[in-house]
């Protein structure tokens, strides 16, 4: 059903001239110049109007180009209104580049999304369960703003629909929408995001650009930098690239060094008819402070005491500028008592990083603030601030230390959990299978569920979304006071139809305020949500379902992406697939073919791959999925008995490895050949565990370089595995497809340090 804006609608019966991009555009009528018989835009439909009048959509004359644009209006706060394209064939595309121009009026919550389906082509939105449904947030924009984003495409998807979703109160206007297959001719990578090269306002953005096509590219790189409630700066630089050539572009622009800001770097052709690529990044202010100890919300718990408050100060400037900066710091009581504590500052090997330390042992409960003042030769520049809370003692306290290890009233725990548990009756079986935590939906959870979980030694993460989290503060505090509660998982996925990035961030902040003694878990901090979606999440949970169309290494890539933006200062957990498309989307997909779950070997491979890449917790994606919309019910022990037995065996192995998994150092990546092998050491002290993983479907002979010569022979960790060959500090072992091998490695002395992901601080 289609619903149109009743006034100010212009019916246009003319077509704009086709641009260079139009010939490649997968979406029909992206310029909204063609008009359907009912007066709306041809090849576009709407969902969410009806009697509830959640929103309205139609054509308006305020176009960026041509004679009409698409406008979507939302009438009230809880509205969820969609404008969506006709389905388009995806062909062989494995990634799409989506671009459009848009602006907003008032304050709607706006997202753009790609919904894909297996086939046949759907006639209406939600007619079929989507293979994928991925959302990207659109920040408020006045006037017209160019938006560009990438969507991966599953090989299981045959058709796509582009969606614009609007909620809250406000209007979204869109024009010049394009969807093209990617990779594009031009590839770009941000190297230096807003580096300060001169005071008080000289910055550069540096990007590496590569022409992957067969023809020369004459283009323009345009940078637009904007700070909230501040001015916008635009700078353009022309570039020319021969086929297969690469260059580094430095774009100088003026922006106050005191201001953190968001910027977009867009690469056009010379006539600005085509968008090759767009990078969105956040440029830090000159000086920024990030607490390290205590790590959990910078809060001192009675069961996780610390005598020293530690923070990392980073100077976002070229070295000659950084050398001029002098820092002073003080820890100040903000409750009004005026107490101030001196702070020591230690400069690292790089003058752009300083470590700050302040004694905390004598501080009484309350709120404090670390104030860092930066001065150059011409006087004071700016002050950066970071919080510290000293909390009252409480019986049940849960947090994590500076190494990302979860602590339950001070005792370490490696979480082994499962999503979607609604019934207390199955908690006994899950405890016997080695699970120590479950994720339960907040709209169904009751105190008797928590009582049963506590009896079985299982911790509970309460899953809350905007549509299911309207409990009162009193009821939330009752849940928070229960000894079985582990934390809150707020907004199940960044692009869930009932959520938005802004709502998710709001809810996470709310729960952090209501319950300072339990972590708030959220989606990963990596792109495209880094700027809009990470606020308030204490623990990041990555989720991937690579079976059967994606490589298993997708899971590792997501973990690496999640860790980089937070510098490794927040723990990252991994959700590992235990279901298949046959239960997720149905559509008659074979449970042993396209819709199958992982094999036992694939499951174990994903679990250990996650450990090698730094996961501090493991969560399985499904134990039970109710039947819905043509998709059958899944009960893992009944429908996939071999997989269930593999889950139980793997949980037993994780319990055996618990001392190594809880070691402060975390995994140290090792040099391994061939490139398909992933390897790391875990554990501290006299014995460590070496994990070698082959995530490929081929047999590989792994050669892994040890950081020290073991004083005794290296032994298999689990019975039945073959003895490895070790010669000249190189361990060799044949790994069948999707195989995992774990070895006991006696240690003599300290192992050589191995750097973590880029940007992770030394600890």
């Amino acid at each position: 059903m289609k619903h149109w804006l009743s006034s100010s609608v212009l019916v246009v019966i003319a077509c704009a001239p086709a641009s260079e991009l139009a010939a490649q555009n997968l979406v029909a009528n992206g310029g909204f110049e063609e008009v359907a018989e009912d007066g709306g835009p041809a090849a576009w439909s709407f969902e969410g109007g009806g009697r509830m009048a959640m929103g309205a959509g139609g054509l308006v004359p305020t176009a960026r180009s041509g004679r009409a644009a698409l406008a979507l209006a939302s009438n009230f706060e809880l509205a969820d209104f969609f404008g969506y394209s006709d389905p388009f064939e995806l062909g062989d595309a494995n990634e799409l580049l989506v671009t459009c121009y848009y602006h907003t009026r008032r304050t709607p919550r706006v997202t753009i999304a790609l919904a894909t389906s297996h086939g046949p082509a759907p006639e209406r939105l939600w007619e079929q369960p989507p293979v994928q449904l991925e959302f990207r947030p659109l920040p408020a924009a006045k006037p017209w703003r160019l938006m560009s984003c990438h969507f991966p495409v599953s090989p299981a998807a045959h058709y796509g629909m582009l969606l614009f979703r609007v909620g809250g109160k406000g209007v979204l206007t869109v024009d010049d929408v394009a969807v093209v297959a990617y990779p594009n001719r031009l590839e770009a990578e941000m190297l230096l995001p807003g580096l300060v090269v001169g005071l008080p306002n000289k910055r550069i953005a540096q990007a590496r650009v590569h022409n992957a096509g067969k023809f020369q590219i004459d283009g323009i790189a345009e940078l637009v930098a904007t700070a909230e409630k501040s001015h916008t700066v635009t700078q353009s630089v022309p570039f020319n690239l021969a086929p297969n050539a690469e260059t580094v572009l430095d774009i100088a622009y003026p922006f106050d060094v005191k201001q953190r800001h968001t910027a977009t770097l867009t690469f056009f052709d010379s006539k600005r008819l085509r968008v090759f690529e767009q990078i969105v990044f956040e440029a830090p202010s000159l000086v920024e402070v990030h607490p390290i100890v205590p790590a959990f919300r910078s809060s001192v718990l009675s069961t996780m005491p610390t005598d020293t408050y530690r923070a990392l100060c980073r100077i976002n400037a070229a070295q000659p500028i950084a050398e001029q900066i002098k820092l002073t710091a003080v820890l100040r009581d903000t409750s009004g008592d005026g107490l101030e504590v001196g702070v020591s500052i230690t400069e690292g090997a790089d003058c752009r990083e300083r470590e700050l330390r302040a004694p905390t042992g004598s501080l009484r409960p309350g709120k404090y603030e670390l104030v860092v003042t930066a001065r150059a030769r011409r006087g004071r520049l700016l002050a950066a601030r970071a919080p510290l809370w000293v909390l009252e003692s409480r019986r049940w306290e849960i947090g994590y230390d500076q190494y990302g290890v979860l602590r339950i009233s001070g005792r370490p725990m490696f979480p082994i959990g499962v999503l979607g548990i609604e019934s207390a009756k199955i908690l006994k079986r899950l405890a016997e299978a080695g699970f120590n935590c479950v994720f339960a939906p907040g709209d169904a959870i009751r105190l008797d569920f928590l009582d049963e979980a506590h009896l079985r030694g299982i911790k509970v993460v309460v899953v809350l979304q905007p549509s299911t989290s309207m409990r009162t503060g009193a009821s939330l505090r009752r849940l928070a006071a229960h000894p079985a509660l582990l934390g809150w998982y707020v907004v199940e996925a960044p692009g869930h139809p009932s959520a938005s990035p802004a709502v998710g961030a709001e809810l996470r902040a709310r729960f952090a305020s209501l319950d300072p003694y339990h972590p708030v878990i959220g989606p990963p901090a990596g792109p495209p949500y880094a700027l809009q979606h990470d606020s308030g999440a204490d623990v990041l949970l990555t989720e991937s379902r690579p079976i059967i169309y994606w490589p298993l290494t997708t899971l590792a890539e997501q973990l690496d992406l999640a860790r980089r933006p937070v510098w490794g200062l927040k723990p990252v957990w991994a959700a590992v697939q235990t279901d298949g498309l046959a239960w997720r989307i149905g559509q008659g997909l074979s449970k042993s073919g396209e819709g199958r779950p992982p094999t036992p070997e694939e499951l174990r491979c994903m679990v250990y791959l996650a450990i090698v890449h730094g996961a501090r917790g493991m969560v399985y994606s499904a134990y039970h999925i109710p039947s819905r919309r043509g998709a059958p019910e899944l009960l893992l022990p009944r429908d996939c008995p071999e997989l269930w037995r593999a889950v139980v065996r793997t949980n037993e192995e994780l319990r055996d490895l618990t001392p190594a998994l809880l070691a402060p150092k975390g995994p140290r990546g090792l040099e391994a050949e061939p490139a398909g092998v992933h390897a790391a050491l875990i554990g501290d002290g006299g014995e460590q565990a070496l994990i070698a993983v082959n995530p490929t479907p081929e047999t590989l002979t792994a050669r892994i370089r040890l950081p020290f010569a073991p004083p005794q022979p290296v032994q298999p960790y689990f019975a039945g595995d073959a003895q490895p060959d070790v010669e000249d500090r190189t361990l060799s072992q044949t790994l069948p497809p999707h195989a995992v091998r774990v070895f006991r490695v006696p240690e003599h002395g300290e192992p050589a340090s191995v750097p973590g992901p880029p940007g992770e601080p030394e600890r």
Side-chain angles (χ1 to χ4, degrees):
M1 186 178 294
K2 301 186 178 184
H3 302 269
W4 314 105
L5 296 171
S6 55
S7 61
S8 72
V9 173
L10 174 67
V11 178
V12 182
I13 314 178
C15 295
S19 70
E20 178 184 337
L21 188 58
Q24 306 172 29
N25 197 354
L26 298 179
V27 70
N29 195 23
F32 306 106
E33 303 299 296
E34 299 177 32
V35 182
E37 292 180 359
D38 58 6
W44 289 80
S45 303
F46 302 89
E47 186 83 21
R51 296 178 182 177
M52 293 185 66
M54 295 180 73
L59 296 172
V60 293
T62 53
R64 176 187 171 272
S65 65
R67 299 174 58 186
L70 175 68
L72 302 174
S74 172
N75 299 328
F76 61 98
E77 189 62 33
L78 297 180
D80 203 17
F81 187 74
F82 292 86
Y84 61 96
S85 71
D86 281 358
F88 46 84
E89 291 191 27
L90 294 167
D92 297 328
N94 55 29
E95 188 172 352
L96 298 179
L97 174 66
V98 177
T99 58
C100 71
Y101 286 86
Y102 76 99
H103 67 78
T104 57
R105 185 157 48 91
R106 298 196 296 275
T107 55
R109 297 189 307 273
V110 181
T111 51
I112 185 173
L114 176 71
T116 65
S117 61
H118 189 70
E123 294 183 5
R124 290 175 54 85
L125 188 63
W126 317 132
E127 183 180 272
Q128 302 174 14
V131 173
Q132 297 166 265
L133 183 59
E134 297 202 31
F135 286 74
R136 305 286 189 265
L138 296 182
K142 296 178 184 179
W144 290 101
R145 174 184 289 186
L146 172 65
M147 187 285 309
S148 173
C149 60
H150 295 261
F151 289 96
V153 177
S154 168
H158 296 160
Y159 295 92
M161 282 181 170
L162 191 66
L163 292 71
F164 291 96
R165 180 175 130 235
V166 60
K169 295 182 179 180
V171 179
L172 166 71
T173 306
V174 183
D175 204 358
D176 296 330
V177 178
V179 179
V180 296
Y182 194 86
N184 219 323
R185 286 171 56 196
L186 184 138
E187 300 167 351
E189 175 190 8
M190 178 57 62
L191 300 177
L192 297 175
L195 185 75
V196 175
V197 293
L199 302 174
N201 65 350
K202 294 181 180 179
R203 293 180 180 252
I204 64 165
Q206 187 180 87
R208 180 183 292 116
V209 188
H210 175 238
N211 179 1
K214 299 179 180 179
F215 305 97
Q216 175 161 320
I217 295 178
D218 299 321
I220 297 171
E222 180 181 85
L223 182 139
V224 179
T226 307
E228 188 177 358
K229 298 179 181 178
S230 182
H231 64 295
T232 296
V233 171
T234 302
Q235 292 283 4
S236 298
V237 173
F239 65 91
N240 308 97
L241 277 178
N244 204 33
E246 183 176 286
T247 189
V248 173
L249 295 178
D250 286 335
I251 303 176
Y253 66 104
F255 217 100
D256 190 342
V257 301
K258 300 176 184 178
Q259 286 189 296
R260 168 180 283 266
H261 57 276
T262 302
T264 58
L265 182 57
T266 308
F267 297 88
F268 299 93
D269 69 349
S270 59
K271 297 181 179 179
R272 295 179 180 265
L273 295 175
R274 176 177 182 178
V275 176
F276 289 113
E277 180 64 286
Q278 186 180 64
I279 302 173
V280 181
F281 63 93
E282 189 162 347
S285 59
L286 175 65
V287 177
E288 298 206 338
V289 182
H290 301 269
I292 300 175
V293 179
F296 171 57
R297 284 192 211 139
S298 194
S299 299
V300 178
L301 301 175
S302 64
T303 54
M304 294 175 60
T306 178
D307 292 329
T308 305
Y309 175 63
R310 292 173 53 202
L312 181 68
C313 180
R314 290 197 171 185
I315 301 174
N316 174 46
Q319 187 164 335
I321 302 296
E323 289 172 347
Q324 299 177 28
I325 304 298
K326 305 300 179 185
L327 298 181
T328 57
V330 65
L331 186 63
R332 185 175 296 155
D333 184 348
T334 61
S335 61
D337 291 352
L339 174 68
E340 290 192 352
V341 178
V343 177
S344 66
I345 301 175
T346 305
E347 187 171 309
D350 186 339
C351 67
R352 287 169 290 196
E353 289 194 358
R354 321 276 172 92
E355 184 174 298
L356 313 178
R357 291 174 177 255
T360 61
S362 61
L363 298 180
R364 55 178 188 264
K367 185 177 180 181
Y368 301 82
E369 186 178 55
L370 175 68
V371 182
V372 181
T373 304
R375 290 181 173 86
R377 292 173 184 170
R378 297 180 183 178
R380 179 181 171 184
L381 277 175
L382 64 112
R385 290 174 167 80
L388 171 68
W389 287 271
V390 180
L391 298 179
E392 298 276 1
S393 176
R394 180 171 161 167
R395 186 178 179 190
W396 301 105
E397 299 179 344
I398 298 179
Y400 52 83
D401 61 24
Q402 66 265 38
Y403 306 106
V405 175
L406 188 72
R407 291 189 173 267
I408 312 294
S409 294
R411 300 183 63 182
M413 169 182 162
F414 185 84
I416 305 173
V418 61
L419 296 171
I421 302 302
E422 300 182 10
S423 171
K425 296 178 181 178
I426 61 176
L427 292 174
K428 180 175 182 290
R429 183 169 195 174
L430 292 174
E432 292 170 348
F435 290 94
N436 57 20
C437 73
V438 297
F439 285 62
D443 55 352
I445 198 167
R446 299 291 182 266
L447 289 177
D448 58 349
F449 184 100
L450 293 171
D451 291 340
E452 179 68 14
H454 187 55
L455 177 66
R456 303 298 174 190
I458 289 179
K459 293 293 182 181
V460 178
V461 177
V462 178
V463 180
L464 294 166
Q465 296 177 358
S467 60
T468 61
S469 61
M470 303 307 174
R471 289 173 177 260
T472 65
S475 68
L476 292 170
R477 288 189 193 93
R478 280 196 294 273
L479 294 179
H482 200 286
L485 185 74
L486 178 64
W488 312 95
Y489 182 36
V490 181
V491 183
E492 185 174 351
H496 194 277
S498 65
S500 77
V503 169
E506 235 175 78
L507 284 171
R508 285 192 292 278
R510 176 190 175 199
F511 280 93
S513 173
L514 281 172
D515 181 13
Y517 295 91
H518 293 92
V520 175
I521 302 166
Y529 305 104
L531 306 187
Q532 296 92 352
H533 202 72
D534 181 47
S535 174
D538 303 307
V539 177
L540 307 173
L541 178 65
T542 68
E543 187 171 358
S544 65
R545 290 187 171 87
I547 308 299
I548 66 169
Y549 294 106
W550 304 95
L552 299 187
T553 49
T554 303
L555 179 146
E557 291 166 2
Q558 289 196 357
L559 282 164
D560 292 344
L561 281 173
R563 293 177 68 204
R564 286 188 187 118
V566 294
W567 302 348
L569 297 179
K570 292 183 180 181
V572 180
W573 299 355
V576 174
Q577 180 179 354
T578 50
D579 55 26
L581 292 176
W583 295 277
R584 284 286 169 185
I585 68 172
Q587 298 186 24
L589 293 177
S590 168
K591 297 176 184 178
S592 59
E594 284 186 290
R596 73 169 178 85
T599 65
E601 293 78 16
E602 288 168 335
L603 172 92
R604 186 167 181 257
C605 180
M606 287 189 286
V607 168
Y608 282 95
L609 195 62
I611 292 170
V612 166
H613 284 264
R616 283 297 196 176
M618 204 66 57
V619 182
Y620 296 98
S621 68
Y623 172 87
H624 174 250
I625 301 176
S627 62
R628 65 192 189 283
R629 296 205 305 195
E633 179 190 41
L634 170 68
L635 184 61
L636 204 58
R638 179 194 67 199
D639 298 315
C640 308
E642 289 187 10
L643 180 60
W644 172 247
R645 286 192 290 271
V647 168
V648 175
R649 284 195 305 271
T650 304
N651 287 352
E652 290 174 356
E653 293 178 2
L654 294 180
R655 282 202 305 274
D656 291 344
L657 285 166
T658 293
L661 292 171
L662 295 176
K665 285 183 181 176
R668 281 89 69 202
L670 300 177
E671 263 183 60
E673 295 179 346
V677 176
H678 296 240
L681 277 173
I682 62 171
D684 291 332
E687 183 179 88
Q688 302 181 67
L690 187 154
I691 300 172
V693 184
N694 174 14
T696 76
E698 301 173 355
T699 297
L700 300 176
T701 299
R703 294 177 298 279
I704 301 167
R705 184 71 172 165
L706 299 175
F708 53 82
Q712 283 115 22
V714 175
Q715 301 288 342
Y717 209 100
F718 302 118
D721 287 346
Q723 182 83 21
D725 296 323
V726 180
E727 185 177 347
D728 191 27
R729 293 174 50 188
T730 298
L731 181 148
S732 301
Q733 177 92 95
T734 299
L735 301 177
H738 306 137
V740 175
R741 296 291 183 266
V742 185
F743 305 102
R744 297 181 189 272
V745 182
E747 180 185 336
H748 177 70
E750 282 295 310
S753 62
V754 178
E760 185 172 341
E762 284 287 324
R763 294 204 179 101

